[in-house]
Amino acid sequence: MDEETDPPGQPAEHGVVCARCGTAAEGDTAPVTWLCAVEDGRRLLFCEGCARLHIRAIESRLDSLWW
Ligand SMILES: [Zn+2]
């Protein structure tokens, strides 16, 4: 289907919060500097700081979750 388009219209229950440190983003959508990852079928968001720490782990273990 579509490649990597985020499906619009997903209501945020309580704003955007970093899944790692709990930092809340300003506004209802994650800033472009935030990282979106999918783990165990769940969509997780990481703030800019956590994304830098986390992205290496994500990139180094693109396991069966993505296939
Ligand atoms: Zn964070």
Side-chain angles (χ1 to χ4, degrees), residues 14-18 23-34 47:
H14 38 260
V16 179
V17 179
C18 174
T23 296
E26 298 180 4
D28 295 331
T29 58
V32 294
T33 52
W34 283 40
C47 70

Side-chain angles (χ1 to χ4, degrees), residues 20 23 38:
R20 188 180 177 98
T23 296
V38 177

